[in-house]
Amino acid sequence: AEELGRYFRNNMYPGEGTGLLRLHSTYRHDLKIYSSDEGRVQMSAAAFAKGLLDLEGQLTPILVSLVSKDSSMLDGLDNASTNMEEAKARLNELVTSRAKVVQANGSSKKPWMIDGAGIPPNASELLPKLVKLTKKVTEQVRLLAKDEDEKLTERTSYDVIPPYDQAKALGKTNIDVDRIAAGLPCGSEGFLLMYARWRKLERDLYNERKERYDITQIPDIYDSCKYDLLHNAHLKIEGLDELFKVAQLLADGVIPNEYGINPKQKLKIGSKIAHRLLGKLLIDLRNTREEAINVAELKSECMDLTSITVDEGDTDCQQKNVIKNEESKRTSHTSEKSMDPEDDEDKEIKYRLDPKYANVRTPERHVRTRLYFTSESHIHSVMNVLRYCNLDGSLQGEGSLFCDGALERLLKTKELDYMSHIVLRMFENVEVNLEDPKRYRIEMTFSRGADLSPLEDNNLEASSLHQEHTLPIMGPERLQEIGSYLTLEKMEKMMRPFAMPAEDFPPATIPQGFSGYFKSAGVLERLGDRKCSMVHATNHSFLSVTRDSYV
């Protein structure tokens, strides 16, 4: 997460990475970081912030000072549970039966429109194999745990087993090579806990008495395989590689379809889970546009004032007219604001650099960044709304926000692993009129996070990553064709039906003693020219019961 933050600083902003650090140190970088209530999500957010801002020290102070928790926006499935149960029931039918998937919308040129897209055609034949291999792996871990249990019982009452400090273990950056050299599981799990993990998966996957499969266990088996291949490869568990491949084939079909069997169902479920987050993204984009408009108007006023020609005889008269005009503008602005107090409820508190005291060349330059760390369910939901929003009845005739090439890649991208992320960047073309929709352009990129190829390959690079117990993060991919132009106006139009309305958001809380924007020469300063919003997702750890992680 820290490395990704460093990459984001150096590659997602114009100029070199030190440019962002200069903006941030001179109050020209408006940054806010939001996280769900999960502890591991918050730590990922803090680590990312550490890399983004080139900070030093422990993560806890960074977490406290920079990361805000917002469980209402970034936690839970809201009111989509019923729809997800319906999707899982249909998914169970498609996976366990020999029924073939059917076209939901006809065209074979668009395979993402098929019911149950991504489910392997031989899924029902893979399930018995999955059960057999899971039992094989579990039995080997059982034997290892039995040896450990016997050794523990041989200890005298004077032998002291040091307690496991979870906080200390989670904070480690180096692998305990002594445990690995001794043939013990990586970290602090131990064979007994490792066996309990696999035994539960084996028991829950298949009910022999009822002869019934529980396909919701497939993602958990897949994650356990990934964990042990990455961290416990030195144990040389026979059959783990084969189990990983079988579990991956099934998980690639199960995981995306848990959030809807077909595009319309994915859109419905996604809009229910992520409607608050989508609404917040629209507010972010709108606030940035308003700041940019204020910058343009402020510059225009300054140019008008400097272009006034003053004759000696009319100096006082013209100065009075200028002052009068400025006062009338401020009065008009104040009256409009007082008449509609609810219009500013969704505005965020902003701390800005006063150009009057700024010892920098470009005090008006300003960057806004919003980071959201949440669950895998939310990242699936946001992606499904963005790529299928044009299927809504109110948007008939509109094309997808993503190009067909991106839709096909996303179909093949089944898994959203740790640190997978969506990046929305808003650019302003200052050469275009303020009223022109093409003044503001949106660019979207996506990464599926951790790259699993080292687990699948046996080359030198994969071996090195195995020794480091790390996986590289995939670079971002464009979701639009090169040369295409997605305007902010179209983005708002396409997302608005699925987003929480701005008026439903609670008003921003103003810190005590903070008066809001500063004033300079009687003009309200709201300087801004660019916005970058990033949504992260991660995969859950093997100890999770549900498929819920963080964005």
Coordinates of all heavy atoms in Angstrom, one line a residue, residues 456-511:
E456 N 1.7 -18.4 -10.3 CA 1.4 -19.3 -11.4 C 2.7 -19.7 -12.2 O 2.7 -20.7 -12.9 CB 0.4 -18.7 -12.3 CG -0.9 -18.3 -11.6 CD -1.7 -17.3 -12.4 OE1 -1.2 -16.8 -13.5 OE2 -2.9 -17.0 -12.0
D457 N 3.7 -18.8 -12.1 CA 5.0 -19.1 -12.8 C 6.1 -19.7 -11.9 O 6.0 -19.6 -10.7 CB 5.5 -17.7 -13.4 CG 4.4 -17.1 -14.3 OD1 3.6 -17.9 -14.9 OD2 4.4 -15.9 -14.5
N458 N 7.1 -20.2 -12.5 CA 8.2 -20.8 -11.8 C 9.5 -20.2 -12.2 O 10.6 -20.8 -12.2 CB 8.2 -22.3 -12.0 CG 7.0 -23.0 -11.3 OD1 6.7 -22.7 -10.2 ND2 6.4 -23.9 -12.0
N459 N 9.5 -18.9 -12.7 CA 10.7 -18.3 -13.2 C 11.5 -17.7 -12.1 O 11.1 -17.7 -10.9 CB 10.4 -17.3 -14.3 CG 9.4 -16.3 -13.9 OD1 9.3 -16.0 -12.7 ND2 8.6 -15.8 -14.8
L460 N 12.6 -17.0 -12.4 CA 13.5 -16.4 -11.4 C 12.8 -15.3 -10.7 O 12.9 -15.2 -9.4 CB 14.8 -15.9 -12.1 CG 15.9 -15.4 -11.1 CD1 16.3 -16.5 -10.2 CD2 17.0 -14.9 -12.0
E461 N 12.0 -14.5 -11.4 CA 11.3 -13.3 -10.8 C 10.3 -13.8 -9.8 O 10.2 -13.3 -8.7 CB 10.7 -12.5 -11.8 CG 10.0 -11.3 -11.3 CD 9.2 -10.5 -12.4 OE1 9.3 -10.9 -13.5 OE2 8.6 -9.4 -12.0
A462 N 9.6 -14.9 -10.1 CA 8.6 -15.4 -9.2 C 9.2 -16.0 -8.0 O 8.7 -15.8 -6.9 CB 7.8 -16.5 -9.9
S463 N 10.4 -16.6 -8.1 CA 11.1 -17.2 -7.0 C 11.6 -16.1 -6.0 O 11.5 -16.2 -4.8 CB 12.3 -18.0 -7.5 OG 13.1 -18.5 -6.4
S464 N 12.0 -15.0 -6.6 CA 12.4 -13.8 -5.8 C 11.3 -13.3 -5.0 O 11.4 -12.9 -3.8 CB 13.0 -12.7 -6.7 OG 13.3 -11.6 -5.9
L465 N 10.1 -13.1 -5.6 CA 8.9 -12.6 -4.9 C 8.4 -13.6 -3.9 O 7.9 -13.1 -2.8 CB 7.8 -12.3 -6.0 CG 8.1 -11.1 -6.9 CD1 7.0 -11.1 -8.0 CD2 8.0 -9.8 -6.1
H466 N 8.6 -14.9 -4.1 CA 8.2 -15.8 -3.1 C 9.1 -15.7 -1.9 O 8.6 -15.8 -0.7 CB 8.4 -17.3 -3.7 CG 7.2 -17.8 -4.3 ND1 7.0 -17.9 -5.6 CD2 6.1 -18.3 -3.7 CE1 5.8 -18.5 -5.8 NE2 5.2 -18.7 -4.7
Q467 N 10.4 -15.4 -2.1 CA 11.3 -15.2 -0.9 C 10.9 -14.0 -0.1 O 11.1 -13.9 1.1 CB 12.7 -15.1 -1.4 CG 13.3 -16.5 -2.0 CD 14.7 -16.4 -2.5 OE1 15.3 -15.3 -2.5 NE2 15.2 -17.4 -3.0
E468 N 10.5 -12.9 -0.8 CA 10.1 -11.7 -0.2 C 8.6 -11.7 0.4 O 8.2 -10.8 1.1 CB 10.2 -10.5 -1.2 CG 11.6 -10.3 -1.6 CD 11.7 -9.2 -2.7 OE1 10.7 -8.6 -3.0 OE2 12.8 -8.9 -3.2
H469 N 7.9 -12.8 0.0 CA 6.5 -12.9 0.4 C 5.6 -11.7 0.0 O 4.8 -11.3 0.7 CB 6.4 -13.1 1.9 CG 7.0 -14.4 2.4 ND1 6.3 -15.4 3.0 CD2 8.3 -14.9 2.3 CE1 7.0 -16.4 3.3 NE2 8.3 -16.2 2.9
T470 N 5.9 -11.3 -1.2 CA 5.1 -10.1 -1.7 C 4.6 -10.4 -3.2 O 5.2 -11.3 -3.9 CB 6.0 -8.9 -1.8 OG1 7.1 -9.1 -2.6 CG2 6.5 -8.5 -0.4
L471 N 3.6 -9.6 -3.5 CA 3.1 -9.7 -4.9 C 3.2 -8.3 -5.5 O 2.9 -7.3 -4.8 CB 1.7 -10.2 -5.0 CG 1.4 -11.7 -4.6 CD1 0.0 -11.9 -4.5 CD2 2.1 -12.6 -5.6
P472 N 3.6 -8.1 -6.8 CA 3.5 -6.8 -7.4 C 2.1 -6.3 -7.6 O 1.2 -7.1 -7.7 CB 4.3 -7.0 -8.7 CG 4.1 -8.4 -9.0 CD 4.0 -9.1 -7.7
I473 N 1.9 -5.0 -7.8 CA 0.6 -4.5 -8.1 C 0.5 -4.1 -9.5 O 1.4 -3.5 -10.1 CB 0.3 -3.2 -7.2 CG1 0.2 -3.7 -5.7 CG2 -1.0 -2.5 -7.6 CD1 -0.1 -2.5 -4.8
M474 N -0.6 -4.5 -10.2 CA -0.8 -4.3 -11.6 C -0.9 -2.8 -11.9 O -1.5 -2.0 -11.1 CB -2.0 -5.0 -12.1 CG -2.0 -6.5 -12.0 SD -0.8 -7.3 -13.1 CE -1.6 -7.1 -14.6
G475 N -0.3 -2.3 -13.0 CA -0.5 -0.9 -13.4 C -1.9 -0.6 -13.8 O -2.7 -1.5 -14.1
P476 N -2.2 0.7 -13.9 CA -3.6 1.1 -14.3 C -3.8 0.8 -15.8 O -2.9 0.9 -16.6 CB -3.6 2.6 -14.0 CG -2.2 3.0 -14.0 CD -1.3 1.8 -13.6
E477 N -5.1 0.6 -16.2 CA -5.5 0.4 -17.6 C -6.5 1.4 -17.9 O -7.4 1.7 -17.0 CB -6.0 -1.0 -17.8 CG -5.1 -2.1 -17.5 CD -5.7 -3.5 -17.8 OE1 -6.8 -3.5 -18.4 OE2 -5.1 -4.5 -17.4
R478 N -6.5 2.0 -19.1 CA -7.5 2.9 -19.5 C -8.9 2.2 -19.7 O -8.9 1.1 -20.2 CB -7.1 3.6 -20.8 CG -5.9 4.6 -20.7 CD -5.6 5.2 -22.1 NE -6.7 5.9 -22.6 CZ -6.9 7.2 -22.4 NH1 -6.0 7.9 -21.7 NH2 -8.0 7.8 -22.9
L479 N -9.9 2.9 -19.3 CA -11.3 2.4 -19.5 C -12.0 3.1 -20.7 O -13.1 2.8 -21.0 CB -12.1 2.6 -18.2 CG -11.6 1.9 -17.0 CD1 -12.3 2.3 -15.8 CD2 -11.6 0.4 -17.2
Q480 N -11.3 4.0 -21.3 CA -11.9 4.7 -22.5 C -10.9 4.6 -23.6 O -9.7 4.5 -23.4 CB -12.1 6.2 -22.2 CG -13.1 6.4 -21.0 CD -12.6 7.5 -20.1 OE1 -11.7 7.5 -19.4 NE2 -13.4 8.6 -20.2
E481 N -11.4 4.8 -24.8 CA -10.5 4.7 -26.0 C -9.6 6.0 -26.0 O -10.0 7.0 -25.6 CB -11.3 4.6 -27.3 CG -12.0 3.3 -27.5 CD -12.8 3.3 -28.8 OE1 -12.9 4.3 -29.4 OE2 -13.3 2.2 -29.2
I482 N -8.4 5.8 -26.6 CA -7.5 6.9 -26.7 C -8.1 8.0 -27.6 O -8.6 7.6 -28.7 CB -6.1 6.5 -27.2 CG1 -5.5 5.5 -26.2 CG2 -5.2 7.7 -27.5 CD1 -4.2 4.9 -26.7
G483 N -8.2 9.2 -27.2 CA -8.7 10.2 -28.0 C -10.2 10.5 -27.8 O -10.8 11.5 -28.2
S484 N -10.9 9.6 -27.0 CA -12.3 9.9 -26.6 C -12.4 11.0 -25.6 O -11.4 11.3 -24.9 CB -12.9 8.6 -26.1 OG -12.3 8.2 -24.9
Y485 N -13.5 11.6 -25.5 CA -13.7 12.8 -24.6 C -15.0 12.6 -23.8 O -16.1 12.7 -24.3 CB -13.8 14.0 -25.5 CG -13.4 15.3 -24.8 CD1 -12.1 15.8 -25.0 CD2 -14.2 15.9 -23.9 CE1 -11.7 16.9 -24.4 CE2 -13.8 17.1 -23.3 CZ -12.5 17.6 -23.5 OH -12.1 18.7 -22.9
L486 N -14.8 12.2 -22.5 CA -15.9 12.1 -21.6 C -16.1 13.4 -20.8 O -15.2 13.7 -20.0 CB -15.7 10.9 -20.7 CG -16.7 10.7 -19.6 CD1 -18.1 10.5 -20.2 CD2 -16.3 9.5 -18.7
T487 N -17.1 14.1 -21.1 CA -17.3 15.4 -20.4 C -17.9 15.1 -19.0 O -18.5 14.1 -18.7 CB -18.3 16.3 -21.2 OG1 -19.6 15.7 -21.2 CG2 -17.7 16.5 -22.6
L488 N -17.7 16.1 -18.1 CA -18.2 16.0 -16.8 C -19.7 16.0 -16.8 O -20.4 15.3 -16.0 CB -17.7 17.2 -15.9 CG -18.4 17.3 -14.5 CD1 -18.1 16.1 -13.7 CD2 -17.8 18.6 -13.8
E489 N -20.3 16.7 -17.8 CA -21.7 16.8 -17.9 C -22.3 15.4 -18.2 O -23.3 15.0 -17.6 CB -22.1 17.8 -19.1 CG -23.6 18.0 -19.3 CD -23.9 19.0 -20.4 OE1 -23.6 18.6 -21.6 OE2 -24.3 20.1 -20.1
K490 N -21.7 14.7 -19.1 CA -22.2 13.3 -19.4 C -22.0 12.4 -18.2 O -22.9 11.6 -17.9 CB -21.5 12.7 -20.6 CG -22.0 11.4 -21.0 CD -21.4 10.8 -22.3 CE -22.0 9.4 -22.6 NZ -21.4 8.8 -23.8
M491 N -20.9 12.5 -17.5 CA -20.6 11.7 -16.4 C -21.7 11.9 -15.3 O -22.2 10.9 -14.7 CB -19.2 12.1 -15.8 CG -18.8 11.2 -14.6 SD -18.1 9.6 -15.2 CE -17.4 9.0 -13.7
E492 N -22.0 13.1 -15.0 CA -23.1 13.4 -14.1 C -24.4 12.8 -14.5 O -25.2 12.3 -13.7 CB -23.2 14.9 -13.8 CG -22.0 15.5 -13.1 CD -22.2 17.0 -12.9 OE1 -22.6 17.7 -13.8 OE2 -21.9 17.5 -11.8
K493 N -24.7 13.0 -15.8 CA -26.0 12.5 -16.3 C -26.1 11.0 -16.1 O -27.2 10.5 -15.8 CB -26.1 12.9 -17.8 CG -27.4 12.4 -18.4 CD -27.4 12.7 -19.9 CE -28.6 12.1 -20.6 NZ -28.6 12.4 -22.1
M494 N -25.0 10.3 -16.4 CA -25.0 8.8 -16.4 C -25.0 8.3 -14.9 O -25.6 7.2 -14.7 CB -23.8 8.3 -17.1 CG -23.7 8.7 -18.6 SD -25.0 7.9 -19.6 CE -24.3 6.3 -19.9
M495 N -24.4 9.0 -14.0 CA -24.3 8.5 -12.6 C -25.4 8.9 -11.7 O -25.7 8.2 -10.7 CB -23.0 8.9 -12.0 CG -21.7 8.2 -12.6 SD -20.2 8.8 -11.9 CE -20.5 8.5 -10.1
R496 N -26.1 10.0 -12.0 CA -27.0 10.6 -11.1 C -28.2 9.7 -10.8 O -28.6 9.7 -9.6 CB -27.6 11.9 -11.7 CG -28.3 12.8 -10.7 CD -28.8 14.1 -11.3 NE -27.6 15.0 -11.6 CZ -27.3 15.3 -12.8 NH1 -28.0 14.9 -13.8 NH2 -26.3 16.1 -13.0
P497 N -28.7 8.9 -11.7 CA -29.9 8.0 -11.3 C -29.5 7.0 -10.3 O -30.4 6.4 -9.6 CB -30.2 7.3 -12.6 CG -29.7 8.2 -13.7 CD -28.5 8.8 -13.1
F498 N -28.2 6.7 -10.0 CA -27.8 5.6 -9.1 C -27.1 6.2 -7.9 O -26.7 5.4 -7.0 CB -26.9 4.7 -9.9 CG -27.4 4.3 -11.2 CD1 -26.8 4.9 -12.4 CD2 -28.4 3.4 -11.4 CE1 -27.3 4.6 -13.6 CE2 -28.9 3.1 -12.7 CZ -28.3 3.7 -13.8
A499 N -27.0 7.5 -7.8 CA -26.2 8.1 -6.7 C -27.2 8.7 -5.7 O -28.3 9.1 -6.0 CB -25.3 9.1 -7.3
M500 N -26.7 8.8 -4.5 CA -27.5 9.4 -3.4 C -27.5 10.9 -3.7 O -26.5 11.6 -3.9 CB -26.8 9.2 -2.1 CG -27.5 9.7 -0.9 SD -26.7 9.2 0.7 CE -27.7 10.0 1.9
P501 N -28.7 11.5 -3.7 CA -28.8 13.0 -4.0 C -28.0 13.8 -3.0 O -27.9 13.5 -1.8 CB -30.3 13.3 -3.9 CG -31.0 11.9 -4.0 CD -30.0 10.9 -3.5
A502 N -27.5 14.9 -3.5 CA -26.6 15.8 -2.6 C -27.4 16.3 -1.4 O -26.8 16.4 -0.3 CB -26.1 16.9 -3.4
E503 N -28.7 16.5 -1.6 CA -29.5 17.1 -0.4 C -29.7 16.1 0.7 O -30.0 16.5 1.8 CB -30.8 17.6 -0.9 CG -31.7 16.6 -1.7 CD -31.4 16.6 -3.2 OE1 -30.4 17.2 -3.6 OE2 -32.3 16.1 -3.9
D504 N -29.5 14.8 0.4 CA -29.6 13.8 1.4 C -28.4 13.6 2.3 O -28.4 12.9 3.3 CB -30.0 12.4 0.8 CG -31.4 12.4 0.2 OD1 -32.1 13.4 0.5 OD2 -31.7 11.5 -0.5
F505 N -27.3 14.2 1.9 CA -26.1 14.1 2.7 C -26.2 15.1 3.9 O -26.7 16.2 3.7 CB -24.8 14.5 1.9 CG -24.3 13.4 1.0 CD1 -24.9 13.1 -0.2 CD2 -23.3 12.6 1.5 CE1 -24.4 12.0 -1.0 CE2 -22.8 11.5 0.7 CZ -23.4 11.2 -0.5
P506 N -25.7 14.7 5.0 CA -25.7 15.7 6.2 C -24.8 16.8 5.9 O -23.8 16.7 5.2 CB -25.2 14.8 7.3 CG -24.4 13.7 6.7 CD -25.1 13.4 5.4
P507 N -25.1 18.0 6.5 CA -24.2 19.2 6.2 C -22.8 18.9 6.9 O -22.7 18.2 7.9 CB -24.9 20.3 6.9 CG -25.8 19.6 7.9 CD -26.2 18.3 7.3
A508 N -21.8 19.5 6.2 CA -20.4 19.4 6.8 C -20.3 20.0 8.1 O -20.9 21.1 8.3 CB -19.4 20.0 5.8
T509 N -19.6 19.4 9.0 CA -19.4 20.0 10.3 C -18.2 20.9 10.3 O -17.1 20.6 9.8 CB -19.1 18.8 11.4 OG1 -18.0 18.1 10.9 CG2 -20.4 18.0 11.5
I510 N -18.4 22.1 10.8 CA -17.3 23.1 10.8 C -16.6 23.1 12.2 O -17.2 23.1 13.2 CB -17.9 24.5 10.6 CG1 -18.7 24.6 9.3 CG2 -16.9 25.6 10.7 CD1 -19.4 25.9 9.1
P511 N -15.2 22.9 12.1 CA -14.5 22.9 13.4 C -14.7 24.2 14.1 O -14.8 25.3 13.6 CB -13.0 22.8 12.9 CG -13.1 22.2 11.5 CD -14.4 22.8 10.9

